[in-house]
Amino acid sequence: AAVPIGIIGESVHMLITLALARPYAEAWALVKVVAIPMITLNSIGAGLFVQIIRFVLRDREKIRSIQAQKALNIANRTVSHLRFGLTPESAAATAQIIYDNISVAAVSLTNNRHVLTFIGAGNDHHQAGQEIKTKSTCEVLETGDPVFLKSANKIGCTVTGCPLKAAIIIPLRKGGEVIGTLKLYGDKNMRLNTIDFQIAL
């Protein structure tokens, strides 16, 4: 449909040029030279533009489908571990499943006070059993709102050389009450994006 519309649009453009431009003879001479190339190229361009939009929309739907399938797969595999509560053992098993199925630098789970498990980059100083220290995690526990931290400064790690550059923090709920957090981390090689954020939600 875009190509015929483009042809009509450019044809109307040529007619307007002939109707308004003066002297008429020079306008007609110009239109005879440029009409066919302009109508052809612009119509093809309009068709290509519409096709590009269609491809983008189709790929977006495909990404959403893959995203939903991946989230469902992770949920199905972790539910058996979390069914009886958020413990160091269930947290470790859950974190491993997530780490194995999503391209992130590290995964951590906490309860309301302590880090229950940590897998991945930075595990030399981010370790299970530590008290929650970062302000952002405390805020998620308090507000129940997920956050996407896009810089190392916002993560708040005080260890020099920490490889973690971004974090997604999601509240974990039981019966409407926030009982802990799920934390996904990115580094310079594995960067977090909005798709990771949507999967985590």
Side-chain angles (χ1 to χ4, degrees), residues 104 146-149 166-170 182-186 192-198 200-201:
V104 293
V147 297
F148 189 171
L149 310 176
I168 293 169
I169 307 176
I170 306 296
L182 165 64
K183 305 168 76 172
L184 308 179
Y185 291 97
L192 298 180
N193 54 47
T194 53
I195 294 177
D196 296 318
F197 189 50
Q198 292 300 319
L201 291 176

Side-chain angles (χ1 to χ4, degrees), residues 47-116:
L48 290 174
F49 179 72
V50 170
Q51 284 299 112
I52 290 171
I53 293 176
R54 287 177 179 169
F55 287 141
V56 169
L57 293 176
R58 186 180 63 187
D59 288 345
R60 183 178 296 177
E61 288 301 318
K62 184 177 180 181
I63 290 172
R64 287 177 179 173
S65 176
I66 294 172
Q67 172 185 329
Q69 186 176 8
K70 182 179 289 187
L72 182 61
N73 179 52
I74 292 172
N76 287 336
R77 295 181 62 187
T78 58
V79 67
S80 61
H81 297 289
L82 295 174
R83 183 176 300 162
F84 301 106
L86 189 58
T87 65
E89 293 76 20
S90 66
T94 299
Q96 190 66 57
I97 291 170
I98 295 172
Y99 185 74
D100 291 341
N101 286 275
I102 301 179
S103 297
V104 293
V107 178
S108 176
L109 275 84
T110 77
N111 58 20
N112 285 322
R113 297 186 59 187
H114 296 92
V115 176
L116 296 177

